[in-house]
Amino acid sequence: MESFGRMLEILVTIVLIFFIPIQYFAVKQDMISQTYVTTQTTYLVDSVRNLGYLNKGMYESYLRKLQGTNNIYEIRMTHYQLVNEEENEDYTKHYFSTYEKDILNQVYEDSGNGRYEFHQGDYLMVKVQNKNKTLGSILTGNFMGISPPKEQIQVVYGGMIRDEGF
């Protein structure tokens, strides 16, 4: 019976010495990745807001920086353009939305200038979330016996286009 107690003691010691610190640092790494993705997304959106356009170099630089976190991300961009329409001598205002597929098609097209133009007063919204399980969520799920959400890194950032390039 004493050997069983000794084995249990060794097992608890291993858990306390190794697994808990590893799980702590994995969760901490997720928090660092969240901060990094937020910073890079803010930098991209603010650059677009200031310049009034998104080009291939800006977008690919952003993707390379996100790749450094070793996570897979889903990036959604939405361009909201204010449109004034005249109906029966009345003007109505509404927003026309353009999504990342159309934005990136224009950025990567060969015939154009390789950039997507915004207008002053338009809005840009970028949403980013991880699509893979992070090490922190895997270890938390295995160690604690719970199932945390897969999306541990989520960023939403946007704002009005100032187009200060003119």
Side-chain angles (χ1 to χ4, degrees), residues 69-113:
T69 63
N70 294 323
N71 289 308
I72 300 168
Y73 296 98
E74 177 181 27
I75 302 168
R76 295 184 179 180
M77 286 188 285
T78 308
H79 170 207
Y80 301 99
Q81 183 176 9
L82 184 62
V83 177
N84 294 318
E85 289 186 353
E86 184 178 350
E87 294 178 13
N88 301 330
E89 298 182 17
D90 287 332
Y91 287 96
T92 60
K93 294 181 180 183
H94 65 276
Y95 283 96
F96 177 76
S97 300
T98 306
Y99 299 98
E100 71 274 352
K101 180 181 175 188
D102 296 323
I103 293 170
L104 294 178
N105 280 343
Q106 192 165 343
V107 166
Y108 284 101
E109 76 179 15
D110 293 331
S111 62
N113 59 3

Side-chain angles (χ1 to χ4, degrees), residues 23 133 135-148:
Q23 196 246 344
K133 281 196 167 197
L135 182 60
S137 64
I138 291 170
L139 291 178
T140 299
N142 291 338
F143 187 68
M144 301 284 198
I146 59 173
S147 181

Side-chain angles (χ1 to χ4, degrees), residues 18-73:
F18 295 110
F19 293 125
I20 291 178
I22 289 171
Q23 196 246 344
Y24 171 78
F25 287 117
V27 170
K28 194 72 160 172
Q29 180 64 36
D30 288 354
M31 292 165 52
I32 291 168
S33 293
Q34 169 75 37
T35 302
Y36 183 75
V37 171
T38 300
T39 302
Q40 294 306 319
T41 303
T42 301
Y43 181 77
L44 174 72
V45 171
D46 286 349
S47 294
V48 171
R49 290 175 60 208
N50 290 332
L51 296 172
Y53 64 87
L54 173 68
N55 65 26
K56 184 178 176 181
M58 294 164 68
Y59 188 69
E60 288 183 351
S61 174
Y62 174 68
L63 292 178
R64 275 193 307 277
K65 290 174 182 175
L66 293 189
Q67 231 174 8
T69 63
N70 294 323
N71 289 308
I72 300 168
Y73 296 98

Side-chain angles (χ1 to χ4, degrees), residues 3-15:
S3 63
F4 176 73
R6 194 57 104 178
M7 290 292 278
L8 188 60
E9 182 178 308
I10 290 171
L11 185 63
V12 168
T13 303
I14 289 173
V15 167

